[in-house]
Amino acid sequence: METQFISERNLKFMLYEVFDAESLLRYPYFSEHSRETIDMMLETAMKIGKERLRPHYEEMDRNPPRYDGKTVKVHPMVRSFMKESGDGGWISIFAPFEQGGQQMPLLAGFLPTFIFNAANYSASVYPGLSTGAAHLISSFGTEELRKAYIPKLYSGEWQGTMALTEPQAGSSLADITTTATPTDDGSYLIRGQKIFISAGDHDCAENVIHLLLGRIQGAPAGLKGLSLFLVPKNRIDGGGKLVANDVTTAGIYHKMGYRGAPITQLAFGDGDDCRGFLVGEPNRGLSYMLQMMNEARLSVGFAATAIASAAYYSALGYADERPQGRPITSKDPQSPQIPIIQHADVKRMLLFQRAVIEGSLSLLMQCTKYADLEIVCTGVEKEKYKLLLDLLTPVAKTYPSETGILSVSQALQCLGGYGYCDDFPVEQYYRDMRIHPIHEGTTGIQSLTLLGRNVTMKNGKAFQLFLAEAETAMEDAETIPELASFAGELRRAVETLKTVTNSLIGLAIKGNIDLFLADATLYMEMFGILAVAWQWLLQATVISKALAKGTAGVDSTFYGGKMYAFRYFFGYELPRIEGLARRLMNADGLTVEMPGELFRD
Amino acid sequence: MKIVVCLKQVPDMESKFKIIDEKKIDESQIAFKINDFDNYAVEAALQLKEKLGGEVVIVSAGPARAQKDVRQAFAMGADWGIQIDDPAVEAGDNYVIAEALQKAIASIGDVELVLTGVQAEDDQASVTGVMMAHLMDAPHVTNVVKLEVNGKDLTVNRELAGGKNEVINLSIPAVLAIQSGINEPRYPTLPGIMKAKKKRLDVKKAADFGASAAAKTEFIKMFIPVSEHKAEIIQGDPKTAAATLVNKLKNEAKVL
């Protein structure tokens, strides 16, 4: 198996050269960290990825979790990896020092998980789920809940989950029916079914802590009646012992990819003895859960990018070594075959992957930097970064997830017939990748959020802030002669986006909400391409400035490759927004008007 | 128990090596890391400390870039360290390095056990530990795969060819070369990484310890050997090919 799955050089470039991580470390909140500690963290994460996670990648796919009627048996490495993740402080990486965390900036702190994702996606999700659950409890739970549950989640002994989906309520959370009945002791009796719960039960954790959305009896219908509950698989009794909490695993699903981690169907309160503990205030569950969802959405974007990265290095290794064919101008069939990396079409496929992967990573890290700035800034600045993060989170989830599939597909294509066979890991990357446009909010939901909510929220303030950020990047690039034309292309693309956005909002103002949102997914696609082009322009500006100072050796290779990927993105990907714009400007309502029965022949 | 672990920073063997003027490696192309064998020595020391108390001190000879790997050992749990950053030592042979390390260790005082990795990944000489033991006038065992401490007595298993072990008793102070596989080295933890940057690291010159040994060997050059093995696929039908082969064996290889 190809040993490289990630570019450490690129991580350092993004961290220090593009996003100036050290500027964050000057804020008192992050001042305990230094470049040295961040580098050591990344080095350690690479070792864990290579030595602990990578060797189990295929094995966990070939031997997926089994449900024996009582519990779910997963690969035994999950237990040791959870312990290591707890002991190592990886689960509590973002939590404040006073809560036993590491208080790491998100800009740097997402990267270890990114490395783990690339090494072995299934294994990497277990601790990540606990991070999200613990953060939710710490943000909104009572002191009692925090003390009782967070330490064991951070230590890796207990597993955290998010339990939202029900058989009749997936994307439509408004239809959640799990009920919560108040009891005299302040807890609630929970009754309901949840499906597709990742790591919802397994034999490598002593307990599973579900952060569950349910409805208190008598609460309003729809999203405004949802409350958040902490529901343990085993609850803590009066004597501090763990006792079963009437949470039953009804089964697991057999998945296409990402097979090393179970998704479970859970029954809560079949015996009328399932206790849940309210987190925060009644009926405000969705807003709390959105905090976890937004972190989870960035996590999905990182994971998709990571898998595409691992697939890229498999394809690159193969393309370097596989002799096949001759130069297109060669007429001599006796001449030796050339490695396929010398064919323009293979280079195009590799460049596409690199342009997608490094562009996606840049957009994701941009979001994490906004999240860090939101933490350390106050007043207007804080509001600005919050709005930018809100606006871009669905884009940073969706672009890598959707385009990542195409990227892995091109990696597979580089291997030809071998790519389709399990002798090489690329077919597994392809299967593992496919979940990302589905979980943590489908592409459809993300797109409705972007166009229907984020672009227009606060009178379009977030959108204006985004345009201003792009403007700053364009003005900076325009000062460099060789980048001026690229900045001009981005400027034209931004004008197109503004025109399309105004046209769509015009439909909404006229009350044509169906038409306004019918092609939200295409709008997302267009927005994503433009946002990634902006990120590539930022990278190219940094590189051009560095090259102007003169570099040699490794950096000229690295920067040279980057500049080709940048030019590829602007030459091959950015023009695609013209076609999308043309469709988005057409309000003929084709999909809205077509009756369902006409789909049948 | 006061334990010293000698740690060497080495090039990542996956790097692309380029030799300049047959004298040295082009470092601009190289990533550096802890000598993997030394990780086992660090882990063995930390386990002894956890069992018996005391402290683990890292001693390393190398340029400024080696500090990051000394701190990596701090992040695993080592207490403090000494870095001998001295171009004269760097330019010397194994004996020069052994003497500098030995003098640095002597400066710490009351060191009971010195652990090294079984060899360095880069030069694979496996002699620095032996030389240090000689200079310390202390017993030394190589290839240690098991280690027990009973007061001032050590019982160690030494790995022999074919997986066999021999069991040896010796007394502290002693120098042991720890074989890989004796334990599973821990990974640095994030809290450990945070603490590492605040731990004491004394940067010294050889003269600070009175070390001044001269090299006992002379370095001539380094080069990447050119493989002289050639393979040739003999073409043609079996009869012709066999005749060609016999001809080549007789007249070219001259083995028939």
Side-chain angles (χ1 to χ4, degrees):
Chain A
M1 195 190 287
E2 189 63 27
T3 50
Q4 188 176 0
F5 44 82
I6 221 124
S7 165
E8 287 176 80
R9 176 69 185 91
N10 189 49
L11 291 186
K12 301 266 175 81
F13 168 74
M14 299 306 304
L15 258 181
Y16 301 120
E17 294 175 67
V18 179
F19 292 115
D20 190 13
E22 285 160 294
S23 67
L24 285 173
L25 308 180
R26 290 193 279 273
Y27 288 95
Y29 186 78
F30 294 128
S31 62
E32 282 295 303
H33 295 283
S34 63
R35 183 166 178 158
E36 194 182 17
T37 57
I38 290 172
D39 284 349
M40 207 184 289
M41 170 184 82
L42 293 178
E43 201 170 319
T44 305
M46 283 302 294
K47 277 183 81 159
I48 293 173
K50 278 183 197 166
E51 295 169 8
R52 295 281 296 114
L53 300 180
R54 190 67 179 170
H56 299 295
Y57 179 61
E58 291 182 357
E59 191 182 304
M60 289 174 76
D61 178 71
R62 310 299 192 261
N63 303 289
R66 286 179 295 111
Y67 173 57
D68 65 5
K70 280 185 179 171
T71 186
V72 182
K73 294 195 181 305
V74 297
H75 195 288
M77 71 79 69
V78 173
R79 183 177 290 274
S80 56
F81 181 53
M82 284 294 278
K83 183 169 182 342
E84 263 167 23
S85 298
D87 292 348
W90 305 101
I91 299 177
S92 57
I93 191 162
F94 300 124
F97 293 133
E98 66 266 20
Q99 290 175 22
Q102 317 308 322
Q103 209 162 304
M104 184 65 74
L106 279 77
L107 179 64
F110 259 101
L111 298 182
T113 307
F114 177 64
I115 292 166
F116 300 159
N117 292 156
N120 183 337
Y121 178 56
S122 290
S124 69
V125 298
Y126 293 88
L129 285 161
S130 293
T131 300
H135 189 196
L136 208 42
I137 302 168
S138 95
S139 299
F140 307 110
T142 58
E143 186 60 27
E144 198 184 346
L145 285 181
R146 280 188 226 155
K147 276 192 179 155
Y149 291 95
I150 290 178
K152 296 273 191 184
L153 286 169
Y154 281 161
S155 71
E157 291 163 88
W158 292 0
Q159 175 70 58
T161 82
M162 52 199 290
L164 285 75
T165 305
E166 297 181 1
Q168 77 298 340
S171 291
S172 176
L173 294 176
D175 293 301
I176 282 176
T177 58
T178 292
T179 56
T181 311
T183 68
D184 294 342
D185 66 8
S187 68
Y188 290 76
L189 274 176
I190 306 290
R191 253 192 98 93
Q193 293 271 330
K194 293 283 176 186
I195 60 167
F196 298 157
I197 307 309
S198 294
D201 188 21
H202 63 86
D203 61 343
C204 287
E206 285 173 20
N207 202 0
V208 184
I209 311 304
H210 306 287
L211 274 298
L212 171 146
L213 282 184
R215 206 177 287 283
I216 298 172
Q217 271 191 336
L223 296 173
K224 289 182 178 158
L226 294 176
S227 299
L228 180 63
F229 296 92
L230 184 157
V231 187
K233 175 185 172 185
N234 298 305
R235 65 178 182 249
I236 305 164
D237 73 5
K241 273 190 179 165
L242 287 181
V243 294
N245 189 36
D246 192 19
V247 180
T248 326
T249 301
I252 57 172
Y253 293 86
H254 300 281
K255 297 180 290 177
M256 169 182 174
Y258 167 34
R259 287 156 63 93
I263 51 168
T264 55
Q265 175 159 359
L266 302 172
F268 294 85
D270 276 1
D272 279 331
D273 188 31
C274 176
R275 302 300 171 114
F277 307 95
L278 184 67
V279 178
E281 293 172 29
N283 302 334
R284 296 200 54 199
L286 188 66
S287 66
Y288 302 147
M289 191 57 106
L290 276 175
Q291 175 197 284
M292 181 144 111
M293 293 286 286
N294 279 332
E295 289 162 15
R297 284 169 179 171
L298 291 180
S299 300
V300 169
F302 274 106
T305 308
I307 293 172
S309 165
Y312 168 75
Y313 285 106
S314 281
L316 179 61
Y318 186 87
D320 258 338
E321 288 174 7
R322 170 72 167 168
Q324 197 75 185
R326 294 168 181 80
I328 236 154
T329 50
S330 167
K331 304 252 189 293
D332 177 10
Q334 297 293 320
S335 63
Q337 299 199 78
I338 55 171
I340 61 171
I341 197 166
Q342 293 183 24
H343 296 302
D345 192 51
V346 174
K347 285 191 262 193
R348 178 192 57 75
M349 291 192 280
L350 291 169
L351 266 173
F352 171 70
Q353 294 168 60
R354 199 163 162 186
V356 168
I357 294 159
E358 293 173 16
S360 296
L361 182 63
S362 191
L363 180 60
L364 284 154
M365 290 179 73
Q366 179 74 72
C367 287
T368 54
K369 186 167 183 188
Y370 288 149
D372 287 326
L373 289 168
E374 188 193 335
I375 292 170
V376 296
C377 292
T378 53
V380 180
E381 287 286 285
K382 190 182 187 75
E383 165 85 359
K384 170 184 157 183
Y385 294 119
K386 182 182 183 328
L387 284 171
L388 282 165
L389 179 62
D390 277 356
L391 177 78
L392 291 173
T393 294
V395 186
K397 191 261 175 185
T398 305
Y399 182 87
S401 301
E402 290 286 355
T403 322
I405 293 172
L406 304 179
S407 179
V408 180
S409 179
Q410 293 293 280
L412 193 151
Q413 191 74 13
C414 287
L415 278 80
Y418 284 119
Y420 197 64
C421 301
D422 65 6
D423 304 53
F424 288 87
V426 193
E427 62 84 29
Q428 188 183 337
Y429 294 131
Y430 194 59
R431 290 185 286 108
D432 285 1
M433 177 61 104
R434 191 59 188 84
I435 185 63
H436 293 311
I438 300 170
H439 63 173
E440 316 306 350
T442 61
T443 293
I445 293 294
Q446 305 298 331
S447 305
L448 291 175
T449 305
L450 175 69
L451 180 59
R453 174 182 175 272
N454 295 1
V455 165
T456 53
M457 66 187 169
K458 304 218 165 185
N459 288 324
K461 192 170 175 192
F463 188 59
Q464 293 305 324
L465 287 168
F466 166 69
L467 295 177
E469 292 276 287
E471 180 60 33
T472 307
M474 290 183 288
E475 284 172 13
D476 200 12
E478 276 161 349
T479 64
I480 300 163
E482 61 269 28
L483 294 186
S485 68
F486 294 95
E489 283 176 50
L490 184 60
R491 196 177 292 287
R492 280 189 291 284
V494 167
E495 286 309 313
T496 307
L497 179 71
K498 281 179 4 195
T499 307
V500 167
T501 307
N502 286 336
S503 162
L504 291 170
I505 291 172
L507 292 171
I509 290 169
K510 286 184 203 151
N512 292 323
I513 302 300
D514 281 347
L515 284 182
F516 167 51
L517 294 174
D519 285 332
T521 297
L522 297 193
Y523 182 79
M524 168 65 89
E525 192 178 344
M526 182 182 178
F527 202 115
I529 293 169
L530 192 139
V532 172
W534 158 52
Q535 288 299 310
W536 267 117
L537 191 65
L538 285 175
Q539 294 185 56
T541 305
V542 168
I543 294 166
S544 299
K545 287 180 181 174
L547 287 175
K549 286 183 201 155
T551 53
V554 171
D555 279 346
S556 64
T557 308
F558 175 74
Y559 288 145
K562 276 252 169 211
M563 287 306 279
Y564 270 101
F566 157 67
R567 283 169 51 202
Y568 179 92
F569 198 88
F570 271 70
Y572 286 69
E573 294 300 302
L574 186 59
R576 295 178 50 240
I577 70 162
E578 296 301 329
L580 292 163
R582 192 169 148 192
R583 174 61 235 176
L584 284 161
M585 295 294 285
N586 185 338
D588 64 4
L590 186 143
T591 55
V592 176
E593 70 179 33
M594 182 168 168
E597 58 269 24
L598 293 192
F599 283 93
R600 292 182 285 274
D601 58 13
Chain B
M1 191 169 211
K2 192 180 270 190
I3 308 167
V4 162
V5 179
C6 296
L7 185 145
K8 182 177 183 184
Q9 187 189 52
V10 295
D12 186 332
M13 292 303 143
E14 289 174 15
S15 307
K16 287 190 177 136
F17 287 88
K18 193 174 144 199
I19 295 170
I20 302 172
D21 301 332
E22 297 191 330
K23 292 285 181 207
K24 58 178 184 179
I25 304 284
D26 175 6
E27 290 196 2
S28 70
Q29 307 278 344
I30 301 285
F32 288 90
K33 64 177 201 63
I34 293 184
N35 174 40
D36 203 35
F37 294 101
D38 295 344
N39 272 324
Y40 295 93
V42 174
E43 179 62 37
L46 293 173
Q47 287 184 12
L48 285 177
K49 179 189 153 183
E50 281 159 5
K51 205 167 154 189
L52 307 169
E55 67 175 1
V56 175
V57 186
I58 304 295
V59 178
S60 180
R65 60 169 156 73
Q67 285 185 13
K68 83 168 176 73
D69 288 321
V70 174
R71 292 203 184 274
Q72 185 110 1
F74 291 173
M76 289 168 77
D79 297 284
W80 64 281
I82 299 173
Q83 183 211 359
I84 307 161
D85 182 358
D86 189 330
V89 174
E90 187 70 0
D93 65 358
N94 293 96
Y95 184 74
V96 173
I97 290 176
E99 195 238 13
L101 291 172
Q102 178 258 321
K103 291 268 168 63
I105 292 165
S107 77
I108 296 167
D110 303 324
V111 172
E112 295 163 286
L113 193 56
V114 177
L115 304 183
T116 69
V118 78
Q119 63 177 20
E121 285 176 77
D122 54 356
D123 66 12
Q124 301 192 349
S126 306
V127 296
T128 306
V130 185
M131 290 171 171
M132 273 196 308
H134 172 73
L135 290 165
M136 287 165 68
D137 195 20
H140 181 260
V141 178
T142 55
N143 290 356
V144 173
V145 290
K146 191 176 169 194
L147 166 58
E148 280 173 19
V149 178
N150 300 302
K152 295 199 174 301
D153 296 323
L154 303 176
T155 304
V156 301
N157 284 26
R158 181 173 175 278
E159 187 181 44
L160 305 175
K164 295 183 190 70
N165 276 202
E166 62 181 6
V167 181
I168 297 169
N169 279 333
L170 63 162
S171 300
I172 56 170
V175 182
L176 304 177
I178 304 295
Q179 177 62 295
S180 56
I182 187 176
N183 52 41
E184 196 175 330
R186 67 195 66 188
Y187 296 108
T189 63
L190 289 173
I193 289 170
M194 304 277 293
K195 283 182 203 144
K197 69 173 182 179
K198 292 177 183 161
K199 287 183 178 173
R200 174 184 154 199
L201 175 57
D202 297 347
V203 181
K204 300 279 190 185
K205 300 277 180 215
D208 295 334
F209 310 115
S212 60
K216 289 186 181 292
T217 56
E218 186 190 358
F219 167 84
I220 307 293
K221 66 173 182 176
M222 66 167 74
F223 64 99
I224 297 168
V226 178
S227 171
E228 292 183 358
H229 297 287
K230 289 176 190 162
E232 182 184 347
I233 295 169
I234 299 170
Q235 306 287 347
D237 60 80
K239 203 172 165 185
T240 320
T244 312
L245 176 63
V246 169
N247 181 36
K248 280 179 180 289
L249 292 173
K250 264 187 186 165
N251 299 320
E252 288 180 24
K254 298 186 192 300
V255 291
L256 290 182

